[in-house]
Amino acid sequence: MSSVAQPSEPRRNDAGPDQNQRVASVEFFVVQFLTGLASAASLFLVASGLSIIFGVTRIVNFAHGAFYMLGAYVAYTLTDRFEGFFGFWGGIVVAALVVAAVGALLEIVLLRRIYRAPELFQLLATFGVTLMVQDLVVMIWGPEDLVGPRAPGLRGAVDILGLAVPTYDLFLIVLGPLVLGGLWILFHRTRWGVLVRAATQDRDMVAALGVNQTWLFTSVFALGIFLAGLGGALQIPRNAVTHLMDLSIIVEVFVVVVIGGLGSVLGAFIAAVLVSELNAFGILIFPKISIVLVFLVMACVLIVRPWGLLGRAEGPARQPAGLSIRPWRPMSQNQRLIMLAVVVAAGFAPFVTGDYALTVLAEIAVFALFAASLHFLMTVGGLASFGHAAYFGLGAYGAAFATTMFGMPMIGSLLLGPLLGVAGAILFGWFCVRLSGVYFAMLTLAFAQIAWSIAFQWVEVTGGDNGILGVWPASWASSPATFYWLALAVSVIGIVALRVLVFSPFGYALRATRDSALRSEAIGIDRSRVQWAAFVIAGTFAGIAGALFAFLKGSVFPDNLAIPMSVDGLVMVLLGGIETVSGAVVGAIVYKALAIWLVSQTDLSKLVLGAIIVLLVVAFPKGIVGFAEDLLARRRTRADDGGSAARTAPAKATAPTSGSGAAPIAAPKMEAAR
Amino acid sequence: MSTPILEVENLSKSYGGVHAVRGVSFTLAAGEILALIGPNGAGKSTCFNMLNGQISRDTGSVRILGRDTAGLRPREIWRLGVGRTFQITATYPSMTVRENVQVALLSHHRELGRLFGFAGARHHAEADRLLGLVGMRDLAERPCGELAYGDLKRLELAIALVNEPRLLLMDEPTAGMAPKERVALMRLTATIAREQSIGVLFTEHDMDVVFEHADRIMVLNRGSLIAGGTPAEVRNNPDVKAVYLGEGSVYGGEAAA
């Protein structure tokens, strides 16, 4: 079970159950179309905000959904207190303004520190904010759903072709294009808008022209957040306000901006309409796969136009995650012996601890393997996956199917179960490796959501939300001690195998594609094939971890492949140190132990965890192992300097160098990667 | 001489009505060093990128060692025996200098698919030999991310020689280098080209480098070749003086037409 957050809610069903039963007629389709358009309005507001922020700051704001949710909650409070026409409409606008102010504060306090950081760090930091907001919202407004008032003046319904359409829906349908037009005027007819468009094309040039970038960024961020808050506030007459609405909207918004093209407001509008209509009609025509439908359309769009319908090709990617200035070395003989001693010591755990501790330790072992598999993709391959839990979860479901449907013994299930994860990685990976950077991250996230939707919706096979129970280990492995040994052995073998891969020729090919796509193509390396293979390898090991996890828990749930599980993995890698070869394992141990402890200590675990993530990104971007390596390297350098006074600067051609660690850590010269 | 290393015929490319390159034809023989020069926007880079497959061509043919390269990707053209260096260096900053060369060697021997075995131990001696050739044997253990720019340029040359190329494409090989380093690098390139009879095509803005090291020079302006020949011939060509080398003359208007 993940300790981070709840799974996102299933998408809201615009057509009520009674309407589903109705005979489909032309009139009904027209009304359904209008309902879809009304839903598109809010989606467009939120998505355009995300798009505008990305265009200028290049940050994909994961916390956008949190601000949408905040907008709804604040609007609920305001409209609840101040009734009447002005109370309601004033409350909506003031709510959006309040949220925009909070957003500006966040930009000033947090984002300004991470504008130059890799995309992954920005996504993670804003995800940390999302976690914190989730707990804060429950603290302030309580966990129950809140139902807002109806809009004064727009309470009734209009008769269209004999069917009643809420007046408020018609208002939203008109509002969408109005906002689109307003944004166009803002960007094309005001000085501020011209500056924003200029900054979208070339930030550095705008700065060189003497424009105060700092405040331009803050104002753009505030505008984007205002739109998100407004989108949330406008929802309260239509939907209940819940503390789960942030994750469901953010996934939908990601889909919209990916289809429309990041940075394009018009693209966001078209895509919002497309997605909303797909939702509205998908529920009628393909009720079983309605959630999947939108993602399928997105995958198709990305294959034809990798940067979305109206998006433009990204410039050269920023420094990818995992790129270290310090070349990696295989372990020395001594280090291997130390590792062996650690593993042997871990093997003695059952003689000194109780059953509960052993279950916890087995879980840590499973997650160490999961984190190591993500690390392989993310650090070695430079491909930050935001949906790695998909392959973990598929492996878990595979093992559960093998056990409960086909009555396989445990060993058979452990061997066959991960194949489902492998199959998923082969299929999804083929699409994902065509993209890079934030687009890769968002597509992996979307595919993980597809997998989650299937697990959630296909109740006959997966049991839906009830999961699959009774996946118990064979009798010989049923004691906590034996299962712990099994988990430890599988995990250690997996981690060693991944480490061998890092230093194999294939590992070098993978690092090559990460370091410089241009150079790799020029020396005959097929980038997408290498990255696809890496994706499948990472998916395989994640699947193995998932299969173990299923037997550890005795059950499988859709949670196992939900977003919070993916983010758990990302945080483990980051905590351990993204630039290191084996930081992920250390990160998994520390994080998992911390998370289990936190949940037992406090009700606000998400708040604490979110704060830890933000702190990590801002203060310790190199993680535990990276920090330790820095310390070691610095000490060695100092020892070197003490020995010979002659060595002053990182000398050129003639300076003798003894080894990797001894070289002074000069300022990284990353221009070469461009 | 036998079959030319590179035969370019009637190469053209336009971007939405702008003729970046039009009707360029030339050949390159083994062991020959050919410079492609011209003012900014003349079409040098477009030409180059069409030769190595980075962008597609509108018309014309490119034959490398007698083989038409139509539709081939850069990595496939590399397999034909083409080495290249970039205007802005492209190397692997997270690896050591030697590992940079080793990756290229592993690719050349088609060993990058192997999942086992320590790659750092493979082709060790061959990598060191190539690094020795460009005078970087001492820097083999250094992290590539720490190298000075001139050293990166030399490293690129070593990597370009990995697949025993017959053709070297060098896009501004000495850009960003100190004058002394420029001469040394081009001298080195010339020596290697003669010894291994490699055809070298390079673009360059430094006329000292061009006139000292090129056997033959082609001048590109507004997408078309306006002159070609030995350094002496090109130096005295009035058209070239008008559009490029200058002599107090105004930038030439219709010289290309």
Side-chain angles (χ1 to χ4, degrees):
Chain A
M1 272 290 206
S2 160
S3 52
V4 176
Q6 300 295 315
S8 52
E9 280 281 86
R11 187 165 291 109
R12 161 174 47 77
N13 180 348
D14 281 324
D18 57 321
Q19 284 175 318
N20 268 334
Q21 311 302 325
R22 200 175 306 188
V23 181
S25 60
V26 175
E27 293 85 0
F28 179 60
F29 275 115
V30 169
V31 170
Q32 192 66 10
F33 179 76
L34 291 177
T35 311
L37 274 186
S39 309
S42 262
L43 194 53
F44 162 64
L45 285 179
V46 186
S48 65
L50 188 85
S51 225
I52 291 168
I53 292 174
F54 176 82
V56 175
T57 67
R58 298 283 136 179
I59 282 190
V60 174
N61 180 27
F62 210 123
H64 218 63
F67 287 110
Y68 165 84
M69 177 169 72
L70 270 182
Y73 270 107
V74 175
Y76 169 83
T77 301
L78 289 175
T79 54
D80 197 45
R81 178 144 324 160
F82 307 102
E83 287 173 15
F85 185 84
F86 289 103
F88 179 86
W89 293 106
I92 298 276
V93 175
V94 171
L97 287 172
V98 168
V99 173
V102 176
L105 191 69
L106 177 77
E107 198 271 351
I108 292 168
V109 175
L110 173 63
L111 297 187
R112 280 186 188 177
R113 295 167 206 283
I114 56 172
Y115 277 130
R116 297 283 169 188
E119 289 129 346
L120 164 72
F121 286 47
Q122 296 166 345
L123 269 172
L124 265 177
T126 47
F127 182 81
V129 172
T130 306
L131 285 182
M132 293 166 73
V133 170
Q134 280 177 351
D135 261 1
L136 287 174
V137 158
V138 174
M139 253 170 76
I140 299 171
W141 283 281
E144 289 85 22
D145 291 5
L146 304 173
V147 180
R150 308 193 111 192
L154 301 174
R155 287 204 172 97
V158 178
D159 190 83
I160 292 181
L161 300 173
L163 293 168
V165 176
T167 322
Y168 192 73
D169 278 11
L170 295 178
F171 161 73
L172 289 178
I173 292 173
V174 177
L175 184 71
L178 278 182
V179 171
L180 179 65
L183 287 174
W184 190 89
I185 291 170
L186 182 65
F187 286 133
H188 289 82
R189 291 287 178 269
T190 67
R191 185 184 137 75
W192 182 84
V194 171
L195 287 179
V196 169
R197 282 192 298 138
T200 306
Q201 292 206 347
D202 193 334
R203 279 194 287 183
D204 296 334
M205 190 63 205
V206 172
L209 293 174
V211 174
N212 187 337
Q213 273 218 45
T214 317
W215 289 105
L216 186 65
F217 277 34
T218 307
S219 57
V220 165
F221 194 79
L223 172 68
I225 298 301
F226 173 81
L227 291 169
L230 189 61
L234 285 170
Q235 278 299 302
I236 58 169
R238 297 184 89 213
N239 296 101
V241 183
T242 81
H243 63 282
L244 299 172
M245 61 199 286
D246 57 344
L247 276 189
S248 58
I249 191 86
I250 196 66
V251 171
E252 215 163 325
V253 163
F254 275 9
V255 171
V256 167
V257 293
V258 164
I259 291 179
L262 264 175
S264 163
V265 173
L266 182 61
F269 183 78
I270 295 170
V273 171
L274 182 68
V275 167
S276 298
E277 293 300 346
L278 275 172
N279 280 338
F281 285 102
I283 208 89
L284 296 178
I285 303 166
F286 310 106
K288 280 272 172 262
I289 59 159
S290 61
I291 299 179
V292 178
L293 195 63
V294 173
F295 293 104
L296 284 179
V297 170
M298 179 179 79
C300 293
V301 168
L302 282 177
I303 293 164
V304 184
R305 292 187 63 89
W307 289 280
L309 292 174
L310 295 182
R312 268 169 311 159
E314 271 286 280
R318 273 172 289 175
Q319 178 193 339
L323 213 156
S324 161
I325 184 75
R326 204 177 301 129
W328 292 340
R329 296 263 158 245
M331 284 188 182
S332 67
Q333 201 61 41
N334 278 345
Q335 285 167 321
R336 276 187 199 149
L337 288 175
I338 293 170
M339 284 303 137
L340 187 67
V342 170
V343 170
V344 170
F348 277 101
F351 303 114
V352 286
T353 55
D355 283 357
Y356 173 71
L358 285 179
T359 327
V360 170
L361 285 176
E363 189 168 337
I364 290 176
V366 167
F367 276 94
L369 180 58
F370 174 56
S373 73
L374 177 60
H375 166 276
F376 185 73
L377 192 61
M378 203 160 108
T379 294
V380 188
L383 298 165
S385 168
F386 266 64
H388 201 52
Y391 316 102
F392 179 85
L394 283 174
Y397 271 98
F401 291 150
T403 306
T404 56
M405 284 186 189
F406 307 113
M408 283 269 210
M410 183 182 78
I411 290 293
S413 300
L414 277 181
L415 290 174
L416 285 184
L419 291 182
L420 196 60
V422 176
I426 290 174
L427 179 67
F428 297 158
W430 188 85
F431 294 101
C432 293
V433 297
R434 292 159 166 256
L435 306 178
S436 59
V438 283
Y439 283 90
F440 177 88
M442 288 196 290
L443 192 59
T444 48
L445 181 80
F447 276 126
Q449 274 305 96
I450 295 186
W452 177 82
S453 311
I454 295 171
F456 192 86
Q457 243 183 357
W458 202 5
V459 181
E460 295 86 343
V461 176
T462 63
D465 209 12
N466 296 324
I468 301 173
L469 305 176
V471 192
W472 295 113
S475 52
W476 61 265
S478 60
S479 87
T482 21
F483 195 83
Y484 166 70
W485 278 322
L486 177 72
L488 183 68
V490 173
S491 174
V492 167
I493 291 170
I495 291 165
V496 169
L498 282 167
R499 225 192 128 93
V500 167
L501 272 170
V502 172
F503 292 101
S504 74
F506 177 78
Y508 273 71
L510 185 59
R511 280 162 65 192
T513 62
R514 174 198 69 188
D515 276 18
S516 169
L518 187 64
R519 169 52 68 194
S520 299
E521 178 74 33
I523 58 169
I525 299 174
D526 187 342
R527 184 188 63 85
S528 52
R529 238 176 68 188
V530 169
Q531 292 186 335
W532 190 25
F535 201 99
V536 173
I537 289 170
T540 306
F541 284 97
I544 294 170
L548 269 177
F549 189 70
F551 281 104
L552 175 71
K553 295 287 174 185
S555 54
V556 180
F557 293 100
D559 278 13
N560 298 155
L561 26 74
I563 296 174
M565 187 69 94
S566 293
V567 174
D568 275 3
L570 286 168
V571 176
M572 289 174 201
V573 174
L574 189 65
L575 180 64
I578 185 145
E579 293 179 1
T580 62
V581 192
S582 36
V585 177
V586 177
I589 295 169
V590 174
Y591 177 81
K592 206 62 211 177
L594 192 70
I596 291 171
W597 180 74
L598 265 182
V599 170
S600 70
Q601 294 294 311
T602 166
D603 290 335
L604 300 174
S605 56
K606 280 188 269 184
L607 186 67
V608 179
L609 220 51
I612 291 175
I613 293 175
V614 171
L615 189 73
L616 261 176
V617 169
V618 174
F620 302 102
K622 289 193 163 187
I624 298 170
V625 178
F627 186 69
E629 280 183 1
D630 269 4
L631 276 184
L632 269 177
R634 215 172 294 158
R635 189 184 293 171
R636 268 185 230 162
T637 315
R638 211 175 298 142
D640 277 8
D641 285 349
S644 78
R647 271 182 112 213
T648 44
K652 289 210 249 156
T654 49
T657 41
S658 45
S660 67
I665 316 234
K669 244 176 68 176
M670 293 305 178
E671 309 91 282
R674 292 186 54 179
Chain B
M1 254 179 250
S2 56
T3 322
I5 301 276
L6 175 65
E7 299 159 271
V8 177
E9 226 172 295
N10 198 27
L11 196 61
S12 294
K13 177 84 185 177
S14 53
Y15 295 106
V18 179
H19 296 280
V21 173
R22 47 182 165 185
V24 168
S25 306
F26 64 91
T27 59
L28 176 65
E32 187 182 27
I33 299 180
L34 177 60
L36 184 63
I37 64 172
N40 285 324
K44 301 188 298 290
S45 291
T46 307
C47 243
F48 242 75
N49 290 335
M50 280 192 280
L51 293 183
N52 69 50
Q54 247 167 317
I55 56 177
S56 63
R57 50 194 184 245
D58 292 347
T59 64
S61 77
V62 175
R63 304 174 77 80
I64 293 173
L65 294 168
R67 164 113 195 247
D68 195 333
T69 65
L72 293 187
R73 294 162 180 279
R75 59 171 184 271
E76 292 159 338
I77 290 177
W78 180 77
R79 297 253 177 232
L80 296 177
V82 179
R84 77 157 302 181
T85 66
F86 294 97
Q87 183 179 350
I88 298 164
T89 55
T91 52
Y92 303 131
S94 79
M95 301 182 195
T96 65
V97 170
R98 182 187 292 121
E99 284 169 338
N100 266 270
V101 183
Q102 279 173 313
V103 171
L105 281 165
L106 285 164
S107 179
H108 178 52
H109 294 281
R110 296 187 182 271
E111 292 172 351
L112 280 176
R114 296 188 184 185
L115 302 179
F116 303 101
F118 179 45
R122 301 192 70 86
H123 310 294
H124 199 282
E126 175 66 2
D128 280 0
R129 186 187 70 79
L130 287 164
L131 286 173
L133 214 55
V134 298
M136 292 182 72
R137 177 67 191 79
D138 292 343
L139 299 177
E141 303 277 335
R142 288 286 290 274
C144 178
E146 283 182 11
L147 287 187
Y149 198 64
D151 292 337
L152 284 175
K153 289 273 186 183
R154 284 196 286 159
L155 173 59
E156 282 218 319
L157 181 58
I159 294 172
L161 294 173
V162 153
N163 59 342
E164 291 154 21
R166 300 299 314 281
L167 173 63
L168 261 184
L169 298 174
M170 304 175 84
D171 199 357
E172 301 201 16
T174 70
M177 293 176 91
K180 239 185 178 169
E181 292 177 318
R182 290 172 185 234
V183 175
L185 183 83
M186 284 316 292
R187 222 167 255 168
L188 179 66
T189 308
T191 314
I192 294 170
R194 303 252 148 74
E195 278 173 5
Q196 306 183 16
S197 81
I198 300 172
V200 179
L201 177 68
F202 74 105
T203 66
E204 186 56 66
H205 277 297
D206 185 330
M207 287 307 115
D208 293 338
V209 169
V210 170
F211 283 98
E212 189 181 334
H213 297 285
D215 299 324
R216 204 149 55 86
I217 299 171
M218 294 183 301
V219 187
L220 204 59
N221 187 43
R222 301 199 168 182
S224 305
L225 285 178
I226 59 165
T230 65
E233 284 165 8
V234 169
R235 200 193 305 267
N236 297 319
N237 185 313
D239 284 347
V240 178
K241 279 184 187 169
V243 303
Y244 194 44
L245 298 178
E247 253 188 359
S249 63
V250 195
Y251 182 78
E254 295 305 312

